[in-house]
Amino acid sequence: MSSAVLVLEDGRTFRGTTFGAEGRTLGEAVFCTGMTGYQETLTDPSYHRQIVVATAPQIGNTGWNQEDGEAASAQDPNKIWVAGYVVRDPARRTSSWRSTGSLQDQLEAQNVVGIAGIDTRALVRHLRSRGSMRAGVFSGDALGTQEELLEQVLGQPSMLGADLAGEVTTTSGYVIEPVGGDARFTVVAVDLGIKTNTPRMFAERGVRVHVVPSTTSIEQVLELNPDGVFLSNGPGDPATADASVALTRGVLERDLPLFGICFGNQILGRALGRSTYKMKFGHRGMNIPVVEHTTGRIAITAQNHGFALEGEAGEEFDTDFGRARVSHTCANDGTVEGVELLSGRGFSVQYHPEAAAGPHDAAYLFDRFTSVLQEKK
């Protein structure tokens, strides 16, 4: 293995060895606290243009398989969306009967530049204190002087103000049919970076899902005669997603049931008049506790977001569509984790109830949405 270096925008560097492809990659350095599910993480479109640091020390033990990819927007669900990957101790061999190859081979095949053998604990502590920041991984012919590499890192745009949903969305749309039997409901899912398991969760509940591009208009949505609309997860700064906000307002004006997750939560929040902000280092992992304020119930959730909605726990506020409230907050830091209309017709959460990868505590939200669809119908 040859030498590699990770350079952060504040000049901090970490030297290690190549992992995956050799070359150069640029992106925002973020860390994920998940102890498992690295394949789902790497193929999550929400990580587009981000260099992911794994806090788990050993990565790659279960190799790579053809079933766990989450890149629903791409023709290949195993497309890796992360800009780069940073690990401490890559597995030297795979140890799973489901494996069809190694993580190293897959990173190399998809030309994903990574680095291994660095002190990821020190790196994560640095990102927690200084915040997520622009970074680059360099190896092979891309290596140069510290000054040259830092100049390249500083030359890339910030994630603040980045409009990325259009880069990961489906180009033509597709339909996922319900599992067994006729469709009970039809839902239009706006693909802002949707994951494979989300339409699957709907299909298991008898829902036909029309996955449509992020640029879809309200008129095009209505042509599909949906019973409800879903807003997916996705990358980038929600403050740039004006078209998606306009679509959401069009859905609410027509009193169509609406459900959103992650990026979709921020879009619904903006449609209800709330503002967003960039978090210091975000929430990325599968063990994050969230409080549902109407019930006091706490769910352990999977999350991946670096932006959040303004608001306070249980806060109620007026909107153009009736009264609304902050329905969920993070038990760790009070970050807004969900908003809802008091009418029940529109609600969203900041976390990932499709649990790919992650706990299943929040899967009931898909049942809640189908109940709303039934009431409306």
Side-chain angles (χ1 to χ4, degrees), residues 118-333:
I118 72 168
D119 186 346
T120 50
R121 294 174 300 178
L123 173 55
V124 170
R125 287 174 66 90
H126 188 73
L127 295 176
R128 279 181 59 89
S129 61
R130 301 291 183 90
S132 298
M133 64 183 74
R134 292 171 294 177
V137 179
F138 307 88
S139 58
D141 294 340
L143 288 170
T145 67
Q146 170 73 9
E147 292 75 17
E148 292 171 340
L149 302 184
L150 182 58
E151 183 179 2
Q152 294 178 56
V153 169
L154 294 175
Q156 66 177 304
S158 168
M159 191 60 70
L160 186 66
D163 186 3
L164 301 180
E167 298 180 14
V168 301
T169 188
T170 180
T171 56
S172 58
Y174 53 93
V175 179
I176 301 296
E177 295 291 345
V179 176
D182 297 329
R184 298 171 55 208
F185 310 105
T186 296
V187 166
V188 170
V190 182
D191 179 7
L192 304 167
I194 199 168
K195 295 166 71 175
T196 299
N197 204 42
T198 302
R200 188 183 299 146
M201 295 285 277
F202 280 120
E204 290 173 354
R205 290 159 173 79
V207 178
R208 175 182 292 115
V209 183
H210 290 268
V211 182
V212 299
S214 62
T215 54
T216 301
S217 67
I218 183 62
E219 291 76 20
Q220 291 170 315
V221 168
L222 295 176
E223 286 175 2
L224 298 172
N225 193 29
D227 298 300
V229 174
F230 172 78
L231 302 174
S232 83
N233 60 289
D237 186 345
T240 66
D242 292 341
S244 296
V245 172
L247 171 62
T248 301
R249 291 182 62 85
V251 170
L252 297 176
E253 286 169 355
R254 290 158 177 82
D255 202 30
L256 277 172
L258 184 139
F259 174 31
I261 67 170
C262 196
F263 199 75
N265 176 64
Q266 297 157 8
I267 298 304
L268 175 57
R270 282 197 58 202
L272 297 179
R274 313 300 284 186
S275 59
T276 60
Y277 64 95
K278 191 176 190 300
M279 303 171 71
K280 184 174 182 180
F281 50 80
H283 294 164
R284 297 175 182 88
M286 299 150 205
N287 56 351
I288 300 170
V290 170
V291 182
E292 182 178 27
H293 294 292
T294 55
T295 64
R297 176 177 178 173
I298 296 178
I300 303 302
T301 68
Q303 299 195 18
N304 173 15
H305 64 107
F307 292 85
L309 288 171
E310 298 279 4
E312 302 293 334
E315 175 189 356
E316 291 193 8
F317 53 97
D318 291 319
T319 78
D320 293 339
F321 314 101
R323 292 283 285 176
R325 66 182 158 215
V326 173
S327 57
H328 300 70
T329 54
C330 180
N332 289 338
D333 59 12

Side-chain angles (χ1 to χ4, degrees), residues 332-346:
N332 289 338
D333 59 12
T335 300
V336 173
E337 296 281 359
V339 291
E340 62 184 1
L341 288 171
L342 298 191
S343 67
R345 288 290 171 81

